[in-house]
Structure formats: structure tokens, C-alpha cells
Amino acid sequence: MANYTNGYNSLPHSHSTTPDPLGRDGAQSANGTIKVQPLLCSGHTRPVTHLQFSNLLDDGTYLLISACKDGNPMLRSWLGDWIGTFLGHKGAVWSSKISLDTSRAVTGSADFTAKIWDTNTGEALHTFAHNHIVRSVALNPQSTPQYLLTGGHEKKIRLFDLGRPDAEPLVLGSNPDGLSCEGNVRSLVWDEGSGGTMGVSAAEDGKVRWWDLRTLSQTAALDLGEPITSMELAHGGGTLSVTAGKKVHFLDILRQHPPVTVELPHPPTSASLHPFLRDRFVVGSTNDPWVRVYDLDSGQEKEVYKGHHGPVLCASYSPDGEVYASGSEDGTIRLWQTNPGKSYGLWQTQD
């Protein structure tokens, strides 16, 4: 991949394994014998609002894309190294995602636009204008034909045909007022199964909605009773992690199994389920700068680490489950090992 322009006079510092001089970065493991040292990924200048890892690539690596209020989403390698910055938005970026084949990225912004990007060159391939803030975007899992879902403060979910980017988008739902949801759309997910025909939305009206994208009609809804703050699809598919109030709801995307709900002592900003073990999840919170991992069955806190110097706004597991990333109000991303002490990437232990 080409290192396209980043808008800085020099490359942003990509990672650091130097402990915080005040001893605040990382923590001891539960048995007290292993120092947990996160990798610091800097370069953003405002709060990091959203993180997404790509699927595993053929060589076993993956990519990480970050959205930020500085308006400059960034692409990084699995090591946390900066690859490039997508330049063109004129407002905060709330959502950033990578296509399954990693050739494209999509972003949604407070500048009332969504943009499609070439991840190899950093070029903006098309800009889709909206009438209000775009809070979430999603690309269909198929490489051809390609479609884009967008949603935000208009309360409309739009479906764009990327093969005809200048064509008018379709709007999901059949409400007389033309709205798809009764509240601002916070998150959109495109199911990687079901032939790419199903989308799921989460809105501040507290409802998760399932959509048939062939007919643009709503097929099911679940009312969680509280404004939804985030929704993410676990790597490997199957399970949605939805945060609302102080609860994390784990939903079967096919609706064949009842929801599993875990209530936390703090309101989570986002939650990510481990892609393989499916027995733990990582969350952030606006209440403090700590990153927490919880046991799914018991709801008990398994790990808690402080590395950030502001609230943690987003958290996500890597596709191989070896790492989770956290993004913070402090403008940094930190990468944490699932198994501290294991040789992996830049974390190398001596035998």
C-alpha cells in the first residue's frame, strides 16, 4: 500500500512501547507477574469516535481504520503502524469502515457527507451529500455489485448503488413521513451472511431494526427501552453487540436465539465480543479512562487497565482475537494484548 499524504509535516508517531513515566500506562496482570503494556498509536488531534478492524488478510495480517473528530480518518497496519490518512472531510468523522476485500473504505461525517475511498491511494472516489450529520455507514459484503448504507440525524437510512454513484439513493421503510426510524440512527450493520440481503440499524429511539434490502422493508424490530449508543457485528458474524444505558445486549443477527443482556456498573460507550472464544467482551465508558474486559456468562469484570487520559469512546477486537483496540477522548488509540506475555506482533518475549 502506498503511504499517501497525511496532512502533517512529518509522519505521525505510530506506536510506542515506552511505559508512562508516571506509571499510569498499562497494569499488572491478575497474577501480578506480567506487565501489561499497550501500544500507543497517535496522530489524531481530537477524540477518536470509532474503530474497525478489517477481516484477516491472506497473509494473516489485518488493517485498522479509525474515525475522529479531527475529520481525518486514518488507516493502520496490524502492528499499529500508520499507513495513511484520508483527507477531504470538513467536519468530525463519526464512522469509518473497511470493505471485506479491504480495497475500499467508507466514512460518515458531521459535514453532512459520506465518502468512499481507495485504500491503496487514499483517493476519495465519491462523495454522497446528505441534509444532516451522517453517524453510521456500512458497505455490503460482496465486492460486486457494491452498495452503501448511510444513516444519521435525518432519521433516514439510505441505500446507494456504488455502480451508479450519481443516482438518487433509495430510502428504507414505508413511513408516510419518509423516515426510517423515530430517532437518530447511531449504527448500521450489513449482515455478512444471508447473501447480503439483510441490514440492521440501531437508533436513539431504542430500537434495533432488521431490514430486507431487496424490498427496503422492515422485517423485525426489538425495543431495548433505552437510547442505543452503539452496535457492532462480531468478527465472523452471527452476533451483534448493542449498548444502551448501562447494558450490553448480545443479539443473534438471525434472531434464532434469545438476547443475552449484561448490566454493567457504568454506561458503556461501545462493546466488542471476542471473535472466537465468544466468552468475553471489551467495553469503554465515558465515566473514566479505563478499558475493561468482562466475562460474558457471569458479567464479572475480568481485566481493567488504564492507559488513556480521557474517557474511552470505542473498543474493538482484532479479527484473530489476539488484540483489542481502544480509542479515547484523549485523541489516541491503544492496542492491548488478549494474552499478555505472548509473543505477537511488536510484543516479543524472551525465552
Side-chain angles (χ1 to χ4, degrees):
M1 286 191 176
N3 277 0
Y4 34 89
T5 181
N6 65 348
Y8 295 84
N9 292 327
S10 60
L11 298 186
H13 179 58
S14 59
H15 52 71
S16 170
T17 55
T18 305
D20 185 307
L22 299 180
R24 298 171 296 188
D25 210 6
Q28 295 296 118
S29 67
N31 59 20
T33 59
I34 300 174
K35 173 70 175 178
V36 176
Q37 184 59 54
L39 299 181
L40 170 65
C41 304
S42 55
H44 284 302
T45 59
R46 297 285 308 282
V48 178
T49 56
H50 187 246
L51 295 168
Q52 192 214 27
F53 284 101
S54 73
N55 280 355
L56 277 173
L57 304 178
D58 291 340
D59 60 1
T61 66
Y62 46 84
L63 301 174
L64 171 65
I65 191 170
S66 55
C68 182
K69 288 186 179 180
D70 63 12
N72 297 318
M74 290 186 176
L75 188 67
R76 297 180 184 274
S77 76
W78 70 294
L79 298 173
D81 288 327
W82 175 86
I83 294 174
T85 300
F86 300 103
L87 299 175
H89 279 298
K90 295 179 173 60
V93 176
W94 287 105
S95 178
S96 58
K97 293 181 180 177
I98 309 174
S99 63
L100 284 187
D101 65 2
T102 71
S103 68
R104 299 287 184 263
V106 58
T107 51
S109 172
D111 65 8
F112 297 10
T113 69
K115 290 180 182 286
I116 293 286
W117 309 84
D118 185 317
T119 57
N120 289 295
T121 65
E123 176 188 3
L125 301 177
H126 199 83
T127 298
F128 299 96
H130 293 66
N131 298 318
H132 213 314
I133 293 169
V134 181
R135 284 301 300 253
S136 187
V137 290
L139 287 168
N140 68 314
Q142 289 77 24
S143 56
T144 56
Q146 274 202 320
Y147 295 94
L148 167 67
L149 286 174
T150 67
H153 288 204
E154 290 182 77
K155 305 180 180 65
K156 294 181 179 180
I157 302 171
R158 289 181 170 89
L159 176 64
F160 293 89
D161 182 348
L162 300 189
R164 299 185 302 129
D166 295 320
E168 282 295 309
L170 302 172
V171 177
L172 274 58
S174 57
N175 293 331
D177 57 8
L179 303 182
S180 307
C181 304
E182 298 163 27
N184 294 342
V185 179
R186 292 300 293 259
S187 184
L188 295 168
V189 164
W190 206 307
D191 183 17
E192 295 175 8
S194 67
T197 62
M198 182 171 64
V200 186
S201 65
E204 291 178 359
D205 59 13
K207 293 181 180 178
V208 179
R209 294 173 171 86
W210 282 259
W211 302 91
D212 185 327
L213 301 176
R214 297 165 296 186
T215 63
L216 309 180
S217 60
Q218 179 180 311
T219 58
L222 177 64
D223 191 347
L224 298 180
E226 297 176 285
I228 294 170
T229 52
S230 73
M231 176 178 67
E232 302 291 340
L233 179 65
H235 277 286
T239 304
L240 297 164
S241 304
V242 186
T243 59
K246 291 188 175 182
K247 297 174 182 176
V248 182
H249 304 270
F250 297 95
L251 311 180
D252 176 8
I253 198 167
L254 297 179
R255 296 178 289 112
Q256 295 175 342
H257 302 284
V260 174
T261 299
V262 179
E263 185 164 4
L264 305 179
H266 57 88
T269 51
S270 73
S272 179
L273 184 67
H274 192 281
F276 295 117
L277 300 176
R278 304 279 171 133
D279 65 347
R280 68 194 69 185
F281 60 96
V282 58
V283 300
S285 172
T286 56
N287 284 9
D288 54 47
W290 298 81
V291 181
R292 293 177 170 87
V293 177
Y294 286 90
D295 181 83
L296 179 59
D297 290 333
S298 67
Q300 296 299 305
E301 184 181 278
K302 290 169 62 75
E303 303 166 33
V304 56
Y305 302 121
K306 182 180 178 185
H308 289 289
H309 304 287
V312 177
L313 304 182
C314 47
S316 181
Y317 271 105
S318 63
D320 61 1
E322 293 287 350
V323 172
Y324 51 92
S326 55
S328 170
E329 191 85 30
D330 66 14
T332 68
I333 301 164
R334 279 172 165 78
L335 303 179
W336 308 80
Q337 274 190 287
T338 301
N339 300 297
K342 178 180 179 179
S343 289
Y344 180 85
L346 294 177
W347 291 280
Q348 296 299 316
T349 60
Q350 295 180 346
D351 296 331

